[in-house]
Amino acid sequence: ESLPYQVLILQTWWPELALTWNYPAWTLTGEMFAYLLMALILLVSVNERIRWALGLSVVAVAAALYYAEMPRQVHYSTFTVSRAVTGFFIGFLLFHLWRRYPLRNRAVAHVLEVATIIAFIALIEWHPTGLAYFLSHLLFAVVIYTYASDLGIVSRLLTLFPFQWLGRKSFSIYMFHGV
């Protein structure tokens, strides 16, 4: 009975069907909602300042909904979609920031790439919950900002074939591992 919802990527909106045979696809439901919000923002905003204001508003509302739903996780669609929208719009704002202020110093890039790996390992070991969970969003933003310029030694390593292959395959593996 969940097949039509799964195929149309709507399963998150019907929580009783969300975690059936293709449960990892919940992320796509949240992302589709984020894409629709993004399209709406781009349609109504006439300049970058308005895009920033709307993007920050979306992040604030989505993060607040996600944080409010964290302890009890009763409303599955609110929990999952607000989580996806928060991350997506942080990325949207980060893109605008990076476009204006890209990382250009190779020495700084080397240090930041290694530091973010260490910080990421520490974050996984710590496994923050509650409000501290949002530190992971901050760290992910720093990671994306750092690696977007491809200036550091780790970026160079990630251009090697095994890492490129893994990058191409990993999302599809994630999306279908439940099946």
Side-chain angles (χ1 to χ4, degrees):
E1 94 183 67
S2 70
L3 182 62
Y5 299 95
Q6 298 280 334
V7 169
L8 295 171
I9 311 173
L10 296 171
Q11 65 271 30
T12 297
W13 300 111
W14 284 269
E16 64 277 1
L17 304 174
L19 301 176
T20 59
W21 63 275
N22 194 19
Y23 56 88
W26 73 265
T27 59
L28 295 177
T29 304
E31 289 167 17
M32 282 181 47
F33 187 75
Y35 297 157
L36 290 172
L37 280 175
M38 171 65 102
L40 184 63
I41 285 174
L42 293 176
L43 282 172
V44 301
S45 60
V46 293
N47 61 42
E48 190 171 343
R49 185 173 286 151
I50 292 173
R51 275 184 236 122
W52 266 97
L54 293 172
L56 285 168
S57 299
V58 169
V59 167
V61 170
L65 287 169
Y66 182 59
Y67 179 69
E69 197 60 37
M70 255 184 196
R72 52 187 194 277
Q73 298 181 23
V74 174
H75 303 100
Y76 182 78
S77 54
T78 301
F79 182 68
T80 57
V81 172
S82 61
R83 177 181 175 188
V85 169
T86 300
F88 180 90
F89 276 89
I90 288 172
F92 166 70
L93 296 171
L94 183 62
F95 165 75
H96 286 290
L97 181 71
W98 183 84
R99 193 174 64 180
R100 185 168 284 193
Y101 307 104
L103 181 61
R104 294 195 174 136
N105 185 307
R106 190 170 297 280
V108 171
H110 290 314
V111 171
L112 281 175
E113 285 185 2
V114 172
T116 56
I117 290 171
I118 294 166
F120 193 82
I121 291 168
L123 180 77
I124 290 171
E125 287 295 317
W126 176 31
H127 193 70
T129 58
L131 198 54
Y133 172 81
F134 289 97
L135 292 174
S136 64
H137 288 299
L138 178 62
L139 177 57
F140 291 142
V142 172
V143 167
I144 292 167
Y145 181 84
T146 300
Y147 284 86
S149 295
D150 285 332
L151 291 175
I153 192 165
V154 180
S155 290
R156 208 168 320 137
L157 180 67
L158 293 174
T159 63
L160 297 175
F161 174 77
F163 297 111
Q164 294 291 307
W165 179 87
L166 183 61
R168 285 191 300 274
K169 304 299 180 197
S170 66
F171 188 70
S172 59
I173 291 168
Y174 169 72
M175 291 310 301
F176 290 100
H177 81 275
V179 176

